[in-house]
Amino acid sequence: MSADTRIFVQIPAYRDAELPATLRHLYRKAKRPDLLRTCVVWQHERDELLPRDLRELPGVEIIDIPAEQSKGCNWARAIAQRHWNGEPFTLLLDSHHRFVRNWDELLLAMYRNLSDDGVTRPLLTGYLPAYKPDSEPGGRGKRPYMMAPLSRDEGVLTRLTSYPIPFWTTLSEPLPAEFLSLHFVFTAGEFNKDVVFDPRIYFFGDELVTGLRAFTHGYDMFHPHRIIGWHCYDRGRRVPHWDDHADWQTQHKRSLALMRDLYTGQPTPIGLGDVRTVRDYQELILTELVI
């Protein structure tokens, strides 16, 4: 790999004990850690400190924010996104991951193969298989996943689920995807100016909003056909934002109203692209975003 494969990594982290291991693994398992630049928005209590070695990892910037000042995950994502500095590629993660060896080389190869096949704006995404912190390095899932709709809130599709990709070992390239996972996105760096995170979208439903916006900007989503890494779904080692912030339901209600307006063509401050439409996306996923 050469210098034109620099990757800007974005990690919002809220009171997560898994952050140190995630950062160390991110760099230890990369083929070219020197080509990574990572922005972590670390929202924490005063007594929650990070080991000194994390701040000494090459290219790591940690933005310290008191947890009580946090306004949610997409608020933190918006802060991290503003620190993109023109890197050709970007990787969006949560703060609780493990990675396969040479994950960066693997992602770049998938991206290039899609580009060579004529995909103008490839975007790799998905719910990664699970790992369990208390049984590391065992307890890791062994199959890549694809995504599907799960449930609605006041008629608005907000939650997604996943299941193993059938016959994944026979695949030679990533699988076309209908939905986007915000715990794993790899795509061109221009994503950071095309799809700017809006703090008014609180949490539930943000993946649908982001996937729709990316789609309307001409990004084509794909699920990796090989395991890139693992994600911790058990919240036992972190404190969710809504446990600390009593007003989260008010934020969520406002999010639902914004999503409803966005999906039904009403005026909204959340921007869409002009390459494809909301209707085009609904025809792709064969599901109404709001009923």
Side-chain angles (χ1 to χ4, degrees), residues 214-225:
F215 177 84
T216 63
H217 278 282
Y219 290 88
D220 289 312
M221 296 177 282
F222 293 84
H223 295 317
H225 62 302

Side-chain angles (χ1 to χ4, degrees), residues 6-275:
R6 290 171 296 126
I7 301 172
F8 175 57
V9 184
Q10 308 173 51
I11 302 178
Y14 188 89
R15 303 194 61 192
D16 190 352
E18 280 294 288
L19 175 60
T22 294
L23 279 174
R24 292 187 186 110
H25 221 252
L26 176 78
Y27 277 79
R28 186 181 307 136
K29 295 297 184 178
K31 176 78 170 181
R32 290 292 304 272
D34 56 308
L35 297 181
L36 305 180
R37 191 171 69 85
T38 303
C39 180
V40 180
V41 181
W42 172 226
Q43 304 146 88
H44 59 97
E45 297 291 345
R46 291 184 180 181
D47 61 345
E48 294 170 340
L49 304 177
L50 293 178
R52 180 176 297 179
D53 68 290
L54 297 185
R55 300 178 187 272
E56 296 172 353
L57 289 170
V60 171
E61 177 183 9
I62 297 176
I63 301 173
D64 287 274
I65 297 176
E68 65 269 19
Q69 294 181 13
S70 172
K71 295 179 175 62
C73 193
N74 287 294
W75 174 82
R77 288 190 178 109
I79 292 173
Q81 192 176 47
R82 289 197 292 270
H83 287 252
W84 175 60
N85 195 29
E87 288 85 359
F89 298 96
T90 196
L91 175 64
L92 284 71
L93 296 171
D94 280 344
S95 51
H96 29 273
H97 283 283
R98 299 292 185 270
F99 304 89
V100 300
R101 186 175 301 279
N102 299 337
W103 61 264
D104 49 343
E105 185 176 55
L106 184 56
L107 281 175
L108 287 163
M110 290 185 187
Y111 186 96
R112 285 170 175 152
N113 288 342
L114 291 168
S115 295
D116 291 344
D117 286 345
V119 180
T120 304
R121 287 187 148 187
L123 185 152
L124 292 158
T125 189
Y127 286 159
L128 301 183
Y131 79 91
K132 298 178 181 179
D134 293 336
S135 59
E136 277 289 289
R140 296 178 182 176
K142 300 184 184 304
R143 296 178 291 180
Y145 282 73
M146 59 191 301
M147 299 171 66
L150 178 62
S151 63
R152 298 175 180 272
D153 193 342
E154 298 182 9
V156 180
L157 183 61
T158 55
R159 298 175 191 254
L160 301 168
T161 187
S162 62
Y163 53 92
I165 297 173
F167 310 109
W168 64 274
T169 57
T170 68
L171 299 178
S172 59
E173 60 184 17
L175 182 74
E178 298 175 355
F179 300 100
L180 179 145
S181 158
L182 277 172
H183 80 230
F184 168 68
V185 172
F186 180 80
T187 189
E190 286 83 1
F191 178 89
N192 294 300
K193 64 181 181 182
D194 292 334
V195 184
V196 177
F197 285 104
D198 194 315
R200 287 168 288 201
I201 300 297
Y202 176 63
F203 180 76
F204 302 105
D206 57 356
E207 295 179 316
L208 274 302
V209 171
T210 308
L212 168 65
R213 295 179 66 204
F215 177 84
T216 63
H217 278 282
Y219 290 88
D220 289 312
M221 296 177 282
F222 293 84
H223 295 317
H225 62 302
R226 297 290 181 264
I227 293 177
I228 301 296
W230 297 266
H231 179 265
C232 181
Y233 294 90
D234 182 355
R235 294 194 174 105
R237 293 175 61 85
R238 60 186 185 270
V239 179
H241 183 273
W242 49 85
D243 279 3
D244 284 344
H245 298 263
D247 65 341
W248 78 267
Q249 290 186 338
T250 300
Q251 291 181 264
H252 176 53
K253 293 287 187 183
R254 291 171 181 164
S255 286
L256 286 177
L258 282 171
M259 285 185 270
R260 184 177 295 277
D261 287 345
L262 181 69
Y263 300 156
T264 57
Q266 303 302 312
T268 171
I270 301 174
L272 294 171
D274 57 7
V275 178

